[in-house]
Amino acid sequence: MVTPPAGTLDRRAVVAQLLRGRGEMLVVSGLGSPSYDVHAAGDHDGNYYLWGAMGAAALVGLGLAQAQPGRKVLVITGDGEMLMGLGGLATIAVAGPANLVIVVLDNGHYGETGMQRSHTGFGLDLADIARAAGFAQTAILRDMDAVAALADTLAAAASGPRLYVVKIAAAATARSLPPRDGVHGKNRLRAHLGLNVS
Amino acid sequence: MDRQAGADSGPPGMDAAADWPLAVYRILRAEQVRQVSYVPDAGHARLISLLRQDPEMACHVLTTEEEGVAIAAGAWLGGQRSVVLMQSSGVGNCINMLSLATVGRFPLLMLVTMRGEWAEFNPWQVPMGRAGEPALAAIGIRTLRAETPADLVASVAAAARLAFAADQQMAVIIAQRLLGEKQW
């Protein structure tokens, strides 16, 4: 595989841009830096932060999107986390939820463990994989104008699930730590939706 | 009225037990399960068919079983109940993902058909046949084992109540002896 050009975007700026007008949107974040990025953009009762269960983020998003068809669900995760749940792209494509958007913050590296290169860092194209699986729309975003344009369309109607790869810089960022208690996050989101918390 | 086995309706009758997939389907309906995830197994074939014919059930065919654990958590976050169907070999695929269910105390209902423990012809099924229940126990999933159809129907009803009302993480273990020897 040909080594792709390195991403340059600031991950915090990307996530802040995506969430600036989130409205009713629900957000699931993958473990590690994506959870910190979503928290740094402003804690919200409509967020569910994963701290583990690598590979879960997109599929938690699928279950949530199917249960809440009237709301948009945005999954924000990293390339390594998405790669661990790669088969989930097939499952999501078959299920076809039009209210699910996956954004992969792709720095081509496993950032939590010492910046070892990931498959995308060796050239694998997650947007191509999602497109081949049957996602309604996929793209690779390399500049903030494209991110701003995506933010404007997150709430728009779609014909199926969408996946966007945002090429971010492989730089360390300060941690912005959401609560680690998975029960708290669950009950908080359910209360936000007007559901019984147990 | 059709017989319906539920947690409060006492022991299921013989006719419910004789067609356990239908009885289990009715329990899942009565418990308002709305999302179904599965990697197919011959032992689940009729139940999968019943669920797929129900327009109120969102059915997810999975590429690997742990996807169903994550879907179940997401479904619960959004206010829906879910069931995950798999064969014993799939239990091993789920182990790390089950930390999501246990740490988040997400209601979880897994129905596991066993291989490798009774009149098994395929040695490759034996390791997870042996390790499935201990592995589930080690990660914090409570198991109810069913050896007969009547036991299975009662166990699914009990496990569904424990999962969805008491926030427990449950696996009903469906004995291979109950399913019958795989014809080969």
Side-chain angles (χ1 to χ4, degrees):
Chain A
M1 274 186 176
V2 178
T3 301
T8 59
L9 301 181
D10 175 75
R11 58 188 310 146
R12 290 285 159 83
V14 168
V15 173
Q17 179 67 271
L18 292 174
L19 296 179
R20 65 177 150 76
R22 61 181 288 167
E24 296 275 284
M25 195 162 63
L26 305 173
V27 178
V28 176
S29 61
L31 84 174
S33 294
S35 276
Y36 314 149
D37 298 332
V38 170
H39 184 257
D43 194 19
H44 193 289
D45 287 352
N47 293 348
Y48 192 78
Y49 307 102
L50 290 161
W51 275 88
M54 191 165 174
L59 292 149
V60 172
L62 171 60
L64 179 55
Q66 298 280 69
Q68 290 284 322
R71 288 179 183 252
K72 290 289 182 192
V73 174
L74 174 62
V75 173
I76 297 178
T77 191
D79 47 300
E81 207 274 348
M82 189 68 252
L83 286 161
M84 190 169 283
L86 202 55
L89 294 180
T91 299
I92 291 164
V94 169
N99 59 330
L100 179 63
V101 181
I102 300 169
V103 169
V104 180
L105 302 173
D106 182 7
N107 62 8
H109 290 78
Y110 292 94
E112 284 293 301
T113 53
M115 283 291 174
Q116 301 87 355
R117 276 166 86 185
S118 74
H119 302 63
T120 62
F122 285 104
L124 184 134
D125 184 335
L126 282 169
D128 259 359
I129 289 173
R131 185 181 313 117
F135 273 59
Q137 189 173 66
T138 66
I140 297 178
L141 284 55
R142 297 185 183 280
D143 60 64
M144 287 305 291
D145 287 345
V147 174
L150 171 59
D152 289 338
T153 66
L154 284 176
S159 59
R162 297 177 278 165
L163 181 141
Y164 304 98
V165 174
V166 182
K167 292 292 188 180
I168 59 167
T173 47
R175 287 185 173 148
S176 176
L177 303 181
R180 283 192 290 268
D181 184 351
V183 179
H184 166 74
K186 173 191 70 173
N187 287 334
R188 191 174 75 150
L189 179 49
R190 282 177 58 93
H192 177 65
L193 294 172
L195 301 165
N196 293 336
V197 294
S198 192
Chain B
M1 187 179 165
D2 290 340
R3 183 184 300 273
Q4 191 156 311
D8 296 328
S9 60
M14 282 306 294
D15 39 346
D19 187 359
W20 66 261
L22 181 61
V24 169
Y25 165 74
R26 287 177 174 160
I27 292 167
L28 298 175
R29 287 280 315 177
E31 287 286 343
Q32 301 181 338
V33 168
R34 287 294 176 270
Q35 294 196 39
V36 180
S37 299
Y38 61 90
V39 172
D41 177 65
H44 278 314
R46 175 156 157 73
L47 178 58
I48 291 169
S49 176
L50 288 165
L51 290 162
R52 287 214 73 109
Q53 288 168 24
D54 186 334
E56 288 194 63
M57 296 282 183
C59 293
H60 305 295
V61 57
L62 310 173
T63 71
T64 177
E65 291 81 356
E66 68 265 34
E67 294 172 10
V69 178
I71 290 170
W76 183 258
L77 284 176
Q80 284 191 343
R81 297 177 175 192
S82 182
V83 65
V84 189
L85 314 180
M86 70 186 71
Q87 185 194 86
S88 46
S89 50
V91 169
N93 294 346
C94 290
I95 291 300
N96 182 56
M97 192 66 83
L98 289 167
S99 61
L100 171 60
T102 57
V103 168
R105 210 192 308 137
F106 283 98
L108 179 65
L109 178 60
M110 302 163 63
L111 306 184
V112 180
T113 46
M114 292 303 293
R115 291 287 306 274
E117 64 171 21
W118 182 268
E120 177 62 63
F121 75 96
N122 183 352
W124 299 69
Q125 290 286 354
V126 173
M128 276 313 302
R130 181 187 298 129
E133 284 182 78
L136 287 167
I139 198 71
I141 308 299
R142 184 171 166 195
T143 57
L144 297 179
R145 184 177 176 85
E147 298 280 354
T148 68
D151 198 18
L152 170 56
V153 172
S155 295
V156 171
R161 187 61 52 88
L162 276 160
F164 302 127
D167 288 351
Q168 297 301 295
Q169 298 77 49
M170 305 297 301
V172 176
I173 306 299
I174 305 173
Q176 190 172 14
R177 188 175 189 179
L178 183 163
L179 297 165
E181 188 175 341
K182 182 167 183 174
Q183 297 305 311
W184 185 254

